Amino acid sequence: MPDHRVSLEVLPMEAPVLELMPTGRILLVDDEAGVRRVLERLLNAEGYEVLQAVDGEQALTIAWAHSIDTILLDMRMPGMSGLDVCRRLRSDPRTTHTPVVFLTGLDDRGFKREALQAGATDFLGKPFDKVELLARLRNTVRVKLYHDNLDRERSDLRHVVQRSMQDLDTATARLERLQSELEVARHETIERLARAAEYRDDETAAHLHRMSHYCHLLARSAGLDEYTAEALRIASPMHDVGKIGIPDHILLKPGRLTGDEFTVMKQHAEIGYRILCDSNSQLMKLAASIAHTHHEKWNGSGYPRALHGEAIPIEGRIAAIADVFDALTSNRPYKLAWSIDDALDYMRTGRGQHFDPNLVDLFIDSLDAVLQIRDRFQET
Ligand code: C2E
Ligand code: SIN
Ligand code: SIN
Ligand code: SIN
Ligand code: FE
Ligand code: FE
Protein backbone atom coordinates (compact mmCIF):
# COMPACT_ATOMS: atom_id res chain seq x y z
CA MET A 1 0.00 0.00 0.00
CA PRO A 2 1.52 3.35 -0.96
CA ASP A 3 1.97 5.64 2.00
CA HIS A 4 0.96 9.17 1.16
CA ARG A 5 1.40 10.57 4.63
CA VAL A 6 3.88 13.33 5.06
CA SER A 7 7.18 12.15 6.34
CA LEU A 8 9.34 14.86 7.77
CA GLU A 9 12.42 12.84 6.91
CA VAL A 10 11.91 13.49 3.19
CA LEU A 11 12.28 17.23 3.78
CA PRO A 12 15.74 18.46 2.96
CA MET A 13 17.52 20.02 5.92
CA GLU A 14 18.34 23.02 3.85
CA ALA A 15 16.34 23.89 0.81
CA PRO A 16 16.58 27.61 0.22
CA VAL A 17 14.80 27.26 -3.10
CA LEU A 18 11.64 26.38 -1.19
CA GLU A 19 11.70 29.71 0.60
CA LEU A 20 11.40 31.45 -2.74
CA MET A 21 8.33 29.49 -3.70
CA PRO A 22 4.77 30.83 -3.34
CA THR A 23 3.03 29.91 -0.12
CA GLY A 24 0.79 27.45 -1.91
CA ARG A 25 -2.61 26.81 -3.40
CA ILE A 26 -5.19 24.92 -1.36
CA LEU A 27 -8.32 23.25 -2.70
CA LEU A 28 -11.03 23.22 -0.08
CA VAL A 29 -13.68 20.54 -0.59
CA ASP A 30 -16.69 20.62 1.76
CA ASP A 31 -20.42 20.67 1.23
CA GLU A 32 -20.94 22.97 4.25
CA ALA A 33 -20.58 26.63 3.29
CA GLY A 34 -19.91 27.58 6.93
CA VAL A 35 -16.89 25.28 7.17
CA ARG A 36 -15.54 26.59 3.85
CA ARG A 37 -15.94 30.20 4.94
CA VAL A 38 -14.07 29.73 8.21
CA LEU A 39 -11.23 27.81 6.58
CA GLU A 40 -10.94 30.24 3.68
CA ARG A 41 -10.49 33.17 6.03
CA LEU A 42 -7.92 31.33 8.06
CA LEU A 43 -5.93 30.17 5.03
CA ASN A 44 -6.05 33.50 3.24
CA ALA A 45 -4.68 35.14 6.36
CA GLU A 46 -1.72 32.76 6.17
CA GLY A 47 -1.09 33.77 2.57
CA TYR A 48 -2.49 30.67 0.86
CA GLU A 49 -4.46 30.90 -2.33
CA VAL A 50 -7.78 29.06 -1.82
CA LEU A 51 -9.96 27.31 -4.40
CA GLN A 52 -13.26 25.79 -3.32
CA ALA A 53 -15.47 22.88 -4.33
CA VAL A 54 -18.86 21.94 -2.93
CA ASP A 55 -18.76 18.27 -3.90
CA GLY A 56 -16.55 15.49 -5.24
CA GLU A 57 -17.28 16.05 -8.93
CA GLN A 58 -16.37 19.70 -8.72
CA ALA A 59 -13.29 18.86 -6.65
CA LEU A 60 -11.96 16.53 -9.35
CA THR A 61 -12.62 19.04 -12.11
CA ILE A 62 -10.72 21.76 -10.28
CA ALA A 63 -7.89 19.49 -9.10
CA TRP A 64 -7.21 18.27 -12.64
CA ALA A 65 -7.38 21.76 -14.16
CA HIS A 66 -5.09 23.54 -11.69
CA SER A 67 -1.88 22.86 -9.90
CA ILE A 68 -2.99 22.25 -6.32
CA ASP A 69 -0.54 21.97 -3.44
CA THR A 70 -2.85 20.39 -0.90
CA ILE A 71 -6.46 19.27 -0.99
CA LEU A 72 -8.52 19.61 2.19
CA LEU A 73 -11.18 16.97 1.67
CA ASP A 74 -14.36 16.46 3.65
CA MET A 75 -14.89 12.77 4.24
CA ARG A 76 -18.67 12.91 4.31
CA MET A 77 -20.39 14.63 1.41
CA PRO A 78 -23.58 14.06 -0.56
CA GLY A 79 -22.83 12.34 -3.86
CA MET A 80 -19.31 11.05 -4.29
CA SER A 81 -17.72 10.22 -0.96
CA GLY A 82 -14.40 11.67 0.14
CA LEU A 83 -12.86 8.21 -0.12
CA ASP A 84 -13.97 7.86 -3.75
CA VAL A 85 -12.66 11.32 -4.56
CA CYS A 86 -9.32 10.41 -3.00
CA ARG A 87 -9.07 7.14 -4.95
CA ARG A 88 -9.77 8.91 -8.22
CA LEU A 89 -7.22 11.62 -7.45
CA ARG A 90 -4.58 8.98 -6.80
CA SER A 91 -5.32 7.07 -9.99
CA ASP A 92 -4.83 10.14 -12.19
CA PRO A 93 -1.22 11.09 -12.99
CA ARG A 94 -2.01 14.79 -12.58
CA THR A 95 -2.85 14.30 -8.90
CA THR A 96 -1.03 11.14 -7.89
CA HIS A 97 1.29 13.14 -5.65
CA THR A 98 -1.06 15.90 -4.54
CA PRO A 99 -1.36 15.76 -0.74
CA VAL A 100 -4.91 14.96 0.42
CA VAL A 101 -5.75 15.90 4.01
CA PHE A 102 -9.06 14.46 5.21
CA LEU A 103 -11.39 16.52 7.35
CA THR A 104 -12.99 13.98 9.67
CA GLY A 105 -15.97 14.28 11.97
CA LEU A 106 -16.24 12.26 15.14
CA ASP A 107 -18.18 9.53 13.31
CA ASP A 108 -15.51 9.14 10.63
CA ARG A 109 -12.65 7.99 12.84
CA GLY A 110 -13.38 4.36 11.99
CA PHE A 111 -12.61 5.04 8.33
CA LYS A 112 -9.00 6.07 8.86
CA ARG A 113 -7.61 2.77 7.74
CA GLU A 114 -9.74 2.81 4.60
CA ALA A 115 -8.71 6.42 3.97
CA LEU A 116 -5.02 5.50 4.18
CA GLN A 117 -5.61 2.71 1.68
CA ALA A 118 -7.39 5.22 -0.59
CA GLY A 119 -4.24 7.37 -0.49
CA ALA A 120 -4.85 9.88 2.28
CA THR A 121 -1.86 11.99 3.31
CA ASP A 122 -3.08 13.16 6.70
CA PHE A 123 -6.17 13.70 8.86
CA LEU A 124 -7.63 16.67 10.68
CA GLY A 125 -10.49 16.24 13.09
CA LYS A 126 -13.37 18.67 13.12
CA PRO A 127 -13.59 20.99 14.90
CA PHE A 128 -10.11 22.21 13.98
CA ASP A 129 -7.29 23.32 16.15
CA LYS A 130 -6.06 26.29 14.06
CA VAL A 131 -2.43 25.94 15.02
CA GLU A 132 -2.40 22.23 14.30
CA LEU A 133 -4.18 22.70 10.97
CA LEU A 134 -1.72 25.35 9.79
CA ALA A 135 1.27 23.27 10.93
CA ARG A 136 0.01 20.19 9.06
CA LEU A 137 -0.75 22.23 5.94
CA ARG A 138 2.64 23.85 5.97
CA ASN A 139 4.22 20.42 5.89
CA THR A 140 2.07 18.93 3.15
CA VAL A 141 2.48 22.01 0.97
CA ARG A 142 6.24 22.04 1.41
CA VAL A 143 6.48 18.38 0.51
CA LYS A 144 4.35 18.98 -2.56
CA LEU A 145 6.46 21.93 -3.69
CA TYR A 146 9.59 19.94 -3.04
CA HIS A 147 8.31 17.10 -5.23
CA ASP A 148 7.26 19.53 -7.96
CA ASN A 149 10.76 20.89 -7.92
CA LEU A 150 12.24 17.41 -8.23
CA ASP A 151 9.86 16.65 -11.10
CA ARG A 152 10.91 19.82 -12.86
CA GLU A 153 14.57 18.96 -12.48
CA ARG A 154 13.92 15.43 -13.63
CA SER A 155 12.11 16.64 -16.72
CA ASP A 156 14.83 19.22 -17.42
CA LEU A 157 17.32 16.40 -17.19
CA ARG A 158 15.22 14.28 -19.49
CA HIS A 159 15.21 17.10 -22.05
CA VAL A 160 18.95 17.52 -21.78
CA VAL A 161 19.41 13.79 -22.29
CA GLN A 162 17.02 13.76 -25.25
CA ARG A 163 18.82 16.71 -26.81
CA SER A 164 22.16 14.95 -26.32
CA MET A 165 20.80 11.82 -27.94
CA GLN A 166 19.62 13.84 -30.91
CA ASP A 167 23.00 15.53 -31.17
CA LEU A 168 24.61 12.13 -31.03
CA ASP A 169 22.36 10.82 -33.81
CA THR A 170 23.25 13.82 -35.94
CA ALA A 171 26.94 13.38 -35.26
CA THR A 172 26.70 9.68 -36.04
CA ALA A 173 24.94 10.37 -39.32
CA ARG A 174 27.64 12.90 -40.24
CA LEU A 175 30.33 10.43 -39.32
CA GLU A 176 28.76 7.73 -41.44
CA ARG A 177 28.55 10.12 -44.38
CA LEU A 178 32.19 11.05 -43.85
CA GLN A 179 33.18 7.41 -43.70
CA SER A 180 31.47 6.60 -46.97
CA GLU A 181 33.14 9.66 -48.51
CA LEU A 182 36.45 8.38 -47.19
CA GLU A 183 35.74 5.01 -48.73
CA VAL A 184 35.20 6.68 -52.09
CA ALA A 185 38.26 8.88 -51.59
CA ARG A 186 40.34 5.83 -50.76
CA HIS A 187 39.42 4.08 -53.98
CA GLU A 188 39.92 7.28 -55.94
CA THR A 189 43.30 7.82 -54.35
CA ILE A 190 44.37 4.43 -55.56
CA GLU A 191 43.26 5.08 -59.12
CA ARG A 192 44.82 8.54 -59.11
CA LEU A 193 48.14 7.24 -57.77
CA ALA A 194 48.16 4.60 -60.45
CA ARG A 195 47.35 7.24 -63.04
CA ALA A 196 50.22 9.44 -61.80
CA ALA A 197 52.69 6.64 -62.42
CA GLU A 198 51.06 5.81 -65.73
CA TYR A 199 51.51 9.37 -67.08
CA ARG A 200 55.16 9.35 -66.11
CA ASP A 201 56.32 6.45 -68.22
CA ASP A 202 53.62 6.16 -70.85
CA GLU A 203 52.28 2.95 -69.36
CA THR A 204 48.66 3.13 -70.37
CA ALA A 205 45.52 2.67 -68.31
CA ALA A 206 44.97 -0.44 -70.39
CA HIS A 207 48.27 -1.89 -69.15
CA LEU A 208 47.26 -1.29 -65.55
CA HIS A 209 43.83 -2.84 -66.09
CA ARG A 210 45.31 -5.94 -67.73
CA MET A 211 47.96 -6.30 -65.07
CA SER A 212 45.43 -5.95 -62.24
CA HIS A 213 43.04 -8.46 -63.77
CA TYR A 214 45.88 -10.95 -64.33
CA CYS A 215 46.60 -10.57 -60.61
CA HIS A 216 42.97 -11.29 -59.75
CA LEU A 217 42.88 -14.31 -62.05
CA LEU A 218 46.12 -15.74 -60.71
CA ALA A 219 45.09 -15.16 -57.11
CA ARG A 220 41.88 -17.14 -57.68
CA SER A 221 43.76 -19.91 -59.52
CA ALA A 222 46.16 -20.10 -56.57
CA GLY A 223 43.20 -20.68 -54.24
CA LEU A 224 43.05 -17.27 -52.56
CA ASP A 225 39.56 -16.16 -51.57
CA GLU A 226 37.57 -13.70 -53.64
CA TYR A 227 38.02 -10.89 -51.12
CA THR A 228 41.80 -11.18 -51.27
CA ALA A 229 41.77 -11.56 -55.06
CA GLU A 230 39.66 -8.42 -55.35
CA ALA A 231 41.97 -6.53 -52.98
CA LEU A 232 44.88 -7.57 -55.21
CA ARG A 233 43.03 -6.34 -58.29
CA ILE A 234 42.45 -2.96 -56.68
CA ALA A 235 45.91 -2.58 -55.10
CA SER A 236 48.13 -3.90 -57.91
CA PRO A 237 47.87 -0.89 -60.31
CA MET A 238 50.03 0.98 -57.80
CA HIS A 239 52.97 -1.39 -58.15
CA ASP A 240 55.05 1.11 -60.18
CA VAL A 241 53.92 4.28 -58.41
CA GLY A 242 57.55 4.77 -57.29
CA LYS A 243 58.42 5.58 -60.89
CA ILE A 244 57.25 9.13 -60.22
CA GLY A 245 60.54 9.47 -58.31
CA ILE A 246 62.68 8.48 -61.31
CA PRO A 247 64.11 11.23 -63.57
CA ASP A 248 62.62 11.50 -67.07
CA HIS A 249 65.92 10.99 -68.88
CA ILE A 250 66.09 7.51 -67.38
CA LEU A 251 62.43 6.60 -67.22
CA LEU A 252 61.64 7.74 -70.77
CA LYS A 253 64.97 6.76 -72.35
CA PRO A 254 64.24 5.32 -75.82
CA GLY A 255 67.09 2.78 -75.64
CA ARG A 256 68.67 0.37 -73.18
CA LEU A 257 69.62 1.66 -69.73
CA THR A 258 73.26 1.77 -68.61
CA GLY A 259 74.18 -0.01 -65.39
CA ASP A 260 74.10 3.22 -63.42
CA GLU A 261 70.78 4.20 -64.91
CA PHE A 262 69.32 0.82 -64.05
CA THR A 263 70.58 1.21 -60.46
CA VAL A 264 68.56 4.43 -60.24
CA MET A 265 65.62 2.77 -61.97
CA LYS A 266 65.55 -0.03 -59.42
CA GLN A 267 64.84 2.49 -56.69
CA HIS A 268 61.24 2.71 -57.89
CA ALA A 269 60.34 -0.36 -55.79
CA GLU A 270 61.61 1.20 -52.57
CA ILE A 271 60.17 4.62 -53.42
CA GLY A 272 56.74 3.12 -54.13
CA TYR A 273 56.88 1.25 -50.86
CA ARG A 274 57.71 4.43 -48.94
CA ILE A 275 54.83 6.27 -50.63
CA LEU A 276 52.32 3.60 -49.72
CA CYS A 277 53.52 2.24 -46.38
CA ASP A 278 52.35 3.24 -42.88
CA SER A 279 48.68 3.26 -43.84
CA ASN A 280 45.99 1.83 -41.58
CA SER A 281 44.18 0.60 -44.66
CA GLN A 282 44.63 -3.10 -45.42
CA LEU A 283 44.37 -2.22 -49.06
CA MET A 284 47.21 0.31 -48.84
CA LYS A 285 49.32 -2.18 -46.90
CA LEU A 286 48.77 -4.66 -49.68
CA ALA A 287 49.67 -2.06 -52.32
CA ALA A 288 52.81 -1.16 -50.34
CA SER A 289 53.84 -4.79 -50.20
CA ILE A 290 53.29 -5.22 -53.96
CA ALA A 291 55.29 -2.08 -54.78
CA HIS A 292 58.09 -3.34 -52.55
CA THR A 293 58.26 -6.93 -53.78
CA HIS A 294 57.16 -7.07 -57.44
CA HIS A 295 60.76 -7.17 -58.69
CA GLU A 296 61.97 -9.84 -56.30
CA LYS A 297 62.87 -13.12 -58.00
CA TRP A 298 62.23 -16.70 -56.82
CA ASN A 299 65.97 -17.54 -57.01
CA GLY A 300 66.93 -14.55 -54.86
CA SER A 301 68.46 -12.44 -57.65
CA GLY A 302 65.77 -9.74 -57.60
CA TYR A 303 65.60 -6.33 -55.95
CA PRO A 304 65.45 -4.37 -53.68
CA ARG A 305 65.98 -6.99 -50.92
CA ALA A 306 67.00 -10.12 -52.88
CA LEU A 307 64.34 -12.18 -51.12
CA HIS A 308 64.17 -15.95 -51.86
CA GLY A 309 61.17 -18.16 -52.68
CA GLU A 310 58.32 -17.96 -50.26
CA ALA A 311 60.06 -15.18 -48.31
CA ILE A 312 58.59 -13.09 -51.13
CA PRO A 313 54.98 -12.42 -50.14
CA ILE A 314 52.53 -14.14 -52.47
CA GLU A 315 51.14 -10.80 -53.68
CA GLY A 316 54.64 -9.92 -54.89
CA ARG A 317 55.08 -13.28 -56.63
CA ILE A 318 51.72 -12.90 -58.32
CA ALA A 319 52.37 -9.28 -59.36
CA ALA A 320 55.78 -10.20 -60.82
CA ILE A 321 54.21 -12.68 -63.25
CA ALA A 322 51.35 -10.37 -64.20
CA ASP A 323 53.68 -7.37 -64.62
CA VAL A 324 56.38 -9.03 -66.69
CA PHE A 325 53.93 -10.86 -68.95
CA ASP A 326 52.14 -7.62 -69.72
CA ALA A 327 55.37 -5.58 -70.05
CA LEU A 328 56.74 -8.11 -72.53
CA THR A 329 53.59 -8.13 -74.64
CA SER A 330 53.34 -4.30 -74.67
CA ASN A 331 55.26 -1.55 -76.43
CA ARG A 332 57.59 0.41 -74.17
CA PRO A 333 59.65 3.55 -74.86
CA TYR A 334 62.64 1.21 -74.97
CA LYS A 335 61.15 -1.79 -76.85
CA LEU A 336 58.37 -3.11 -79.05
CA ALA A 337 55.81 -5.63 -77.88
CA TRP A 338 56.77 -9.29 -77.96
CA SER A 339 54.47 -11.96 -79.38
CA ILE A 340 52.40 -14.00 -76.95
CA ASP A 341 54.39 -17.15 -77.74
CA ASP A 342 57.74 -15.43 -77.10
CA ALA A 343 56.38 -14.04 -73.86
CA LEU A 344 55.15 -17.49 -72.78
CA ASP A 345 58.54 -18.99 -73.59
CA TYR A 346 60.15 -16.31 -71.45
CA MET A 347 57.80 -17.12 -68.58
CA ARG A 348 58.57 -20.85 -68.87
CA THR A 349 62.30 -20.16 -68.89
CA GLY A 350 61.92 -18.06 -65.78
CA ARG A 351 60.02 -20.87 -63.99
CA GLY A 352 61.77 -21.47 -60.64
CA GLN A 353 64.33 -18.79 -61.54
CA HIS A 354 62.56 -15.44 -61.80
CA PHE A 355 59.08 -16.79 -61.01
CA ASP A 356 57.32 -18.98 -58.45
CA PRO A 357 57.11 -22.27 -60.42
CA ASN A 358 53.60 -23.20 -59.26
CA LEU A 359 52.24 -19.76 -60.04
CA VAL A 360 53.78 -19.76 -63.52
CA ASP A 361 52.15 -23.15 -64.20
CA LEU A 362 48.79 -21.83 -63.00
CA PHE A 363 49.19 -18.68 -65.11
CA ILE A 364 49.99 -20.62 -68.28
CA ASP A 365 47.19 -23.11 -67.54
CA SER A 366 44.72 -20.24 -67.54
CA LEU A 367 45.96 -18.83 -70.84
CA ASP A 368 42.44 -18.61 -72.26
CA ALA A 369 41.31 -16.35 -69.46
CA VAL A 370 44.56 -14.35 -69.77
CA LEU A 371 43.91 -13.72 -73.44
CA GLN A 372 40.31 -12.76 -72.75
CA ILE A 373 41.53 -10.09 -70.35
CA ARG A 374 44.07 -8.99 -72.96
CA ASP A 375 41.33 -8.63 -75.59
CA ARG A 376 39.08 -6.82 -73.19
CA PHE A 377 41.67 -4.13 -72.38
CA GLN A 378 43.26 -3.28 -75.72
CA GLU A 379 45.30 -0.12 -76.20
CA THR A 380 43.12 2.60 -77.65
P1 C2E B 1 58.49 -2.25 -67.05
O1 C2E B 1 58.63 -1.71 -68.41
O2 C2E B 1 57.11 -2.17 -66.44
O3 C2E B 1 58.95 -3.69 -67.01
C1 C2E B 1 58.64 -4.54 -65.93
C2 C2E B 1 59.47 -5.78 -65.98
O4 C2E B 1 59.14 -6.55 -67.15
C3 C2E B 1 60.95 -5.53 -66.07
O5 C2E B 1 61.51 -5.31 -64.81
C4 C2E B 1 61.45 -6.83 -66.67
O6 C2E B 1 61.48 -7.82 -65.69
C5 C2E B 1 60.34 -7.19 -67.64
N1 C2E B 1 60.64 -6.67 -68.99
C6 C2E B 1 60.05 -5.64 -69.59
N2 C2E B 1 60.55 -5.48 -70.84
C7 C2E B 1 61.48 -6.44 -70.98
C8 C2E B 1 62.35 -6.81 -72.05
O7 C2E B 1 62.35 -6.21 -73.13
N3 C2E B 1 63.17 -7.86 -71.84
C9 C2E B 1 63.19 -8.55 -70.68
N4 C2E B 1 63.99 -9.57 -70.52
N5 C2E B 1 62.37 -8.23 -69.63
C10 C2E B 1 61.54 -7.19 -69.82
P2 C2E B 1 62.92 -4.59 -64.71
O8 C2E B 1 63.88 -5.15 -65.71
O9 C2E B 1 63.31 -4.63 -63.31
O10 C2E B 1 62.63 -3.15 -65.15
C11 C2E B 1 61.91 -2.29 -64.35
C12 C2E B 1 61.54 -1.09 -65.09
O11 C2E B 1 62.72 -0.41 -65.52
C13 C2E B 1 60.77 -1.34 -66.36
O12 C2E B 1 59.42 -1.46 -66.05
C14 C2E B 1 61.09 -0.10 -67.16
O13 C2E B 1 60.32 0.99 -66.76
C15 C2E B 1 62.53 0.18 -66.77
N6 C2E B 1 63.46 -0.42 -67.72
C16 C2E B 1 64.00 -1.66 -67.65
N7 C2E B 1 64.86 -1.85 -68.69
C17 C2E B 1 64.86 -0.72 -69.42
C18 C2E B 1 65.52 -0.28 -70.61
O14 C2E B 1 66.29 -0.97 -71.19
N8 C2E B 1 65.28 0.99 -71.06
C19 C2E B 1 64.40 1.78 -70.40
N9 C2E B 1 64.18 3.01 -70.90
N10 C2E B 1 63.74 1.42 -69.27
C20 C2E B 1 63.97 0.18 -68.79
C1 SIN C 1 41.48 -1.04 -61.29
O1 SIN C 1 42.34 -0.15 -61.50
O2 SIN C 1 40.95 -1.20 -60.18
C2 SIN C 1 41.06 -1.92 -62.41
C3 SIN C 1 40.00 -1.20 -63.16
C4 SIN C 1 38.98 -2.14 -63.71
O3 SIN C 1 38.04 -2.48 -63.01
O4 SIN C 1 39.11 -2.59 -64.85
C1 SIN D 1 38.27 -1.34 -48.57
O1 SIN D 1 37.08 -1.68 -48.52
O2 SIN D 1 38.60 -0.24 -49.03
C2 SIN D 1 39.31 -2.27 -48.06
C3 SIN D 1 39.43 -2.23 -46.56
C4 SIN D 1 40.50 -1.30 -46.11
O3 SIN D 1 40.95 -0.46 -46.90
O4 SIN D 1 40.93 -1.37 -44.96
C1 SIN E 1 54.39 -4.41 -45.88
O1 SIN E 1 53.34 -5.03 -46.08
O2 SIN E 1 54.52 -3.66 -44.92
C2 SIN E 1 55.51 -4.59 -46.87
C3 SIN E 1 56.05 -5.97 -46.80
C4 SIN E 1 57.05 -6.16 -47.92
O3 SIN E 1 57.43 -5.19 -48.54
O4 SIN E 1 57.43 -7.31 -48.14
FE1 FE F 1 58.18 -2.15 -61.50
FE1 FE G 1 54.50 -2.32 -64.74
Side-chain angles (χ1 to χ4, degrees):
M1 174 182 83
D3 189 348
H4 296 276
R5 280 171 301 175
V6 171
S7 157
L8 289 177
E9 280 81 41
V10 308
L11 285 173
M13 294 306 284
E14 302 205 46
V17 66
L18 294 179
E19 307 306 331
L20 301 174
M21 289 178 172
T23 313
R25 184 187 284 157
I26 310 293
L27 172 58
L28 195 52
V29 188
D30 202 304
D31 55 315
E32 290 176 57
V35 174
R36 293 203 307 273
R37 205 159 40 238
V38 170
L39 284 173
E40 185 190 21
R41 237 189 343 255
L42 178 64
L43 297 175
N44 279 339
E46 277 300 297
Y48 290 108
E49 184 185 344
V50 179
L51 303 181
Q52 300 185 31
V54 301
D55 59 22
E57 293 286 357
Q58 200 183 8
L60 292 175
T61 306
I62 294 174
W64 290 335
H66 298 83
S67 171
I68 305 293
D69 299 317
T70 289
I71 299 174
L72 281 179
L73 182 59
D74 189 14
M75 184 155 299
R76 213 178 271 271
M77 294 180 292
M80 202 186 299
S81 78
L83 288 176
D84 284 340
V85 173
C86 190
R87 285 189 198 100
R88 296 198 52 189
L89 287 169
R90 286 292 170 251
S91 65
D92 189 289
R94 288 167 290 185
T95 48
T96 312
H97 299 291
T98 308
V100 174
V101 177
F102 271 101
L103 304 173
T104 55
L106 281 174
D107 299 341
D108 304 323
R109 306 292 146 90
F111 292 105
K112 271 195 175 183
R113 184 170 183 77
E114 239 182 306
L116 283 174
Q117 278 169 349
T121 310
D122 206 348
F123 302 91
L124 280 169
K126 296 189 210 175
F128 321 107
D129 177 300
K130 286 183 188 175
V131 176
E132 189 188 0
L133 178 125
L134 292 176
R136 299 269 182 92
L137 271 191
R138 195 154 47 241
N139 277 335
T140 57
V141 167
R142 289 186 71 172
V143 169
K144 170 63 163 48
L145 294 179
Y146 177 64
H147 275 296
D148 284 355
N149 206 36
L150 277 187
D151 280 350
R152 233 184 335 269
E153 280 172 11
R154 236 180 257 134
S155 121
D156 284 354
L157 195 61
R158 200 159 41 236
H159 283 122
V160 169
V161 169
Q162 274 166 359
R163 180 114 34 87
S164 304
M165 297 293 277
Q166 280 165 7
D167 288 352
L168 199 62
D169 283 349
T170 309
T172 305
R174 281 210 200 104
L175 202 59
E176 277 167 5
R177 209 159 46 233
L178 186 63
Q179 271 165 348
S180 76
E181 274 175 34
L182 276 176
E183 197 66 17
V184 171
R186 196 186 286 160
H187 282 96
E188 265 199 25
T189 303
I190 289 164
E191 288 187 6
R192 284 167 196 282
L193 269 175
R195 219 185 282 167
E198 164 194 324
Y199 281 136
R200 284 285 284 117
D201 79 339
D202 278 351
E203 285 193 46
T204 62
H207 160 66
L208 294 174
H209 287 155
R210 286 192 301 266
M211 142 82 182
S212 75
H213 282 87
Y214 295 155
C215 284
H216 181 276
L217 175 66
L218 195 43
R220 291 298 277 160
S221 305
L224 300 182
D225 61 77
E226 175 55 27
Y227 180 86
T228 306
E230 181 63 7
L232 262 167
R233 185 185 69 76
I234 295 168
S236 57
M238 288 180 277
H239 69 282
D240 271 341
V241 74
K243 284 181 177 175
I244 63 180
I246 304 301
D248 278 359
H249 73 272
I250 296 175
L251 189 66
L252 302 178
K253 183 176 177 180
R256 287 190 61 81
L257 298 180
T258 67
D260 285 350
E261 286 168 339
F262 194 57
T263 300
V264 173
M265 187 66 221
K266 289 198 287 193
Q267 290 174 2
H268 80 278
E270 186 75 35
I271 294 169
Y273 173 65
R274 297 243 179 94
I275 290 172
L276 300 168
C277 72
D278 292 339
S279 168
N280 288 324
S281 156
Q282 292 305 310
L283 213 48
M284 280 299 170
K285 285 182 181 163
L286 188 62
S289 175
I290 293 171
H292 208 190
T293 60
H294 73 283
H295 287 298
E296 298 290 354
K297 294 185 180 176
W298 185 258
N299 65 10
S301 68
Y303 63 89
R305 290 180 290 173
L307 299 178
H308 278 264
E310 291 189 348
I312 306 164
I314 188 160
E315 59 270 22
R317 286 178 268 144
I318 287 173
I321 292 172
D323 184 37
V324 171
F325 179 80
D326 199 67
L328 291 177
T329 55
S330 303
N331 291 320
R332 282 286 192 268
Y334 60 96
K335 62 167 265 292
L336 290 174
W338 295 15
S339 71
I340 298 290
D341 283 344
D342 286 350
L344 289 175
D345 281 345
Y346 185 87
M347 304 306 291
R348 280 190 202 97
T349 307
R351 185 183 184 284
Q353 300 298 312
H354 187 160
F355 308 113
D356 177 331
N358 294 324
L359 289 175
V360 172
D361 291 346
L362 291 169
F363 187 75
I364 293 172
D365 285 348
S366 33
L367 187 62
D368 286 350
V370 168
L371 295 181
Q372 270 177 26
I373 291 168
R374 197 166 181 279
D375 287 346
R376 200 171 131 208
F377 298 102
Q378 283 295 336
E379 309 292 329
T380 49

